[in-house]
Amino acid sequence: MATIQIRNVRDEDYQALREAAEAEGKSLQAYMQEQASVLARRAKKKAAFDAARSALATDTGTGVTTESVLADLDAIRGPWPGEESAARGR
């Protein structure tokens, strides 16, 4: 595991973190490890969403629509049961 050292934390921030850890019944180290994990997960999610947005921004599209997919499926499947006679009459 890596070690992180944070310098020059404002006294009021340190005290707030210490109180938050105490309120959860944890040591400051355990509390900060948990918070670091939360921040890391948030950073990973942000990176994934940024990558998805970037990919979507450069996507020129396929031209596929819901309607075209349904029409293709209908053509492959044929008429729905009970609609055979209506399909022949078209």
Side-chain angles (χ1 to χ4, degrees), residues 27-64:
S27 67
L28 182 57
Q29 179 176 334
Y31 181 79
M32 293 305 296
Q33 285 172 331
E34 183 179 278
Q35 293 305 307
S37 293
V38 169
L39 288 171
R41 283 192 304 274
R42 193 176 298 162
K44 287 179 188 177
K45 286 179 186 176
K46 182 182 181 315
F49 279 113
D50 289 347
R53 281 190 195 98
S54 177
L56 289 172
T58 59
D59 184 13
T60 58
T62 61
V64 175

Side-chain angles (χ1 to χ4, degrees), residues 62-80:
T62 61
V64 175
T65 65
T66 302
E67 292 78 20
S68 69
V69 169
L70 292 175
D72 289 345
L73 287 173
D74 285 342
I76 292 166
R77 281 193 296 244
W80 287 93

